């Protein structure tokens, strides 16, 4: 049975595997603070349907409480350890089944095993975030092993910590003209791909949101990362099939182990 990946924009993806539907870092807003959606429609109502939702860290463009409030009652939600303390709005989402997790945890959901892995990123709720929570990645194991990196920098033990994977959903950009520490740009993402050596990859976390009034400031950082990742990945990891999706597009991948 194939795994199907749909990219809705930013870090929001649907992974369908083993008759189970997984949603990552849901963000269903046209505008978030100083950011506005520049490309792609807001995901349709069907995108909000999931058996389990994965939140990688507490930044508001990844843990967006209004988007989580739109999820169907009974949806299982995995969030970083300490999230309910750091983000009081989570406590109001009583219609969801919330589980706090940390690297090394494993959670069964439908026909899937979800492994929680580390990420190199500041996981606090910004701007001040008095309580620290880890930034996370997840490996969704069913018919395929799909790695959702969340936000992360490149770190030495990445391949060891993540383990063997078939598909990698890797961030290749951001939402502003400069990427700080703890992020992958197209070049670092290509290097990560070479270390992970999956069969297929999908670039995410680029080309969706951009600060209001900054259209002319380094616009290539908004438009170029997807194509640049495709080019650099062909050099660094030529055996990996890279699928650059448009917003709302899907790819079905046959995985034979």
């Amino acid at each position: 049975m194939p795994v199907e990946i749909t990219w809705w924009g930013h870090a929001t993806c649907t992974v369908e595997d083993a008759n189970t539907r997984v949603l990552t870092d849901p963000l269903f807003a046209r505008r978030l603070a100083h950011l506005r959606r520049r490309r792609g429609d807001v995901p349709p109502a069907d995108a909000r349907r999931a058996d389990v939702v994965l939140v990688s860290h507490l930044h508001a463009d990844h843990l967006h409480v209004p988007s989580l409030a739109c999820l169907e009652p009974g949806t299982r939600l995995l969030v970083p350890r300490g999230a309910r303390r750091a983000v009081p709005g989570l406590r109001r989402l009583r219609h969801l089944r919330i589980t706090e997790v940390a690297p090394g945890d494993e959670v069964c959901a439908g026909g899937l095993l979800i492994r929680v892995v580390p990420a190199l990123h500041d996981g606090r709720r910004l701007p001040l975030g008095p309580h620290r929570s880890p930034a996370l990645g997840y490996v969704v194991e069913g018919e395929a092993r799909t790695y959702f990196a969340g936000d992360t920098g490149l770190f030495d033990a990445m391949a060891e910590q993540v383990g063997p994977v078939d598909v990698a959903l890797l961030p290749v950009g951001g939402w502003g003209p400069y990427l700080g520490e703890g992020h992958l740009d197209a070049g670092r993402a290509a290097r990560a791909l070479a270390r992970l050596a999956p069969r297929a990859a999908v670039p995410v976390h680029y080309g969706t949101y951009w600060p209001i009034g900054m259209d002319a400031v380094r616009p290539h950082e908004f438009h170029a990362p997807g194509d640049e990742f495709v080019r650099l990945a062909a050099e660094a990891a030529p055996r990996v099939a890279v699928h650059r999706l448009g917003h709302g597009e899907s790819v079905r991948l046959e995985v034979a182990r």
Side-chain angles (χ1 to χ4, degrees):
M1 180 179 176
V3 59
E4 183 167 305
I5 311 292
T6 303
W7 182 51
W8 302 110
H10 203 52
T12 306
C13 300
T14 294
V15 179
E16 296 184 73
D17 189 350
N19 296 312
T20 305
R21 190 174 168 105
V22 180
L23 180 65
T24 67
D25 285 353
L27 183 56
F28 303 137
R30 293 191 181 278
R31 178 172 175 177
L32 173 62
H34 63 299
L35 305 179
R36 64 184 174 97
R37 193 174 181 109
R38 287 281 313 283
R39 186 179 288 173
D41 295 329
V42 173
D46 185 61
R48 303 170 188 177
R49 181 173 57 85
D51 299 295
V52 60
V53 175
L54 312 179
V55 170
S56 62
H57 62 289
L58 305 191
H59 295 177
D61 58 320
H62 293 259
L63 194 165
H64 185 243
V65 173
S67 294
L68 297 177
C70 296
L71 299 174
E72 295 181 355
T75 301
R76 188 156 193 194
L77 175 63
L78 305 187
V79 298
R81 182 187 57 218
R84 280 178 287 198
R85 184 182 178 197
V87 186
L90 280 175
R91 303 172 202 165
R92 298 193 293 269
L93 303 182
R94 296 185 179 89
H95 66 298
L96 304 178
R97 296 185 295 137
I98 301 176
T99 302
E100 296 191 357
V101 294
D105 289 348
E106 295 184 347
V107 176
C108 292
L112 303 175
L113 174 68
I114 299 173
R115 293 192 294 108
V116 186
V117 299
L120 180 63
H121 193 68
D122 185 347
R124 292 176 299 166
R125 187 68 164 183
L126 298 178
L128 299 177
H131 306 298
R132 289 190 172 272
S133 290
L136 308 174
Y138 295 90
V139 178
V140 178
E141 297 191 0
E143 299 293 330
R145 295 163 297 194
T146 302
Y147 170 47
F148 170 60
D151 253 358
T152 187
L154 186 63
F155 56 98
D156 291 340
M158 176 179 277
E160 177 185 351
Q161 295 283 355
V162 172
V165 293
D166 302 296
V167 185
L169 311 180
L170 292 179
V172 300
W175 52 252
Y178 302 99
L179 282 176
E181 294 184 3
H183 292 87
L184 296 178
D185 59 11
R188 291 191 291 270
R191 289 163 55 198
L193 196 66
R195 296 184 185 186
L196 295 167
R199 290 178 169 83
V202 176
V204 302
H205 203 269
Y206 77 100
T208 308
Y209 291 91
W210 202 247
I212 294 169
M214 297 189 70
D215 290 7
V217 179
R218 297 174 63 86
H220 64 284
E221 297 288 357
F222 177 82
H223 294 286
D227 288 333
E228 188 174 358
F229 174 71
V230 171
R231 178 179 65 83
L232 295 174
E235 299 173 0
R239 295 186 179 182
V240 181
V242 177
H243 302 270
R244 190 182 70 79
L245 303 178
H247 292 78
E249 289 187 345
S250 302
V251 60
R252 290 171 66 86
L253 302 169
E254 296 283 352
V255 177
R257 297 190 191 171

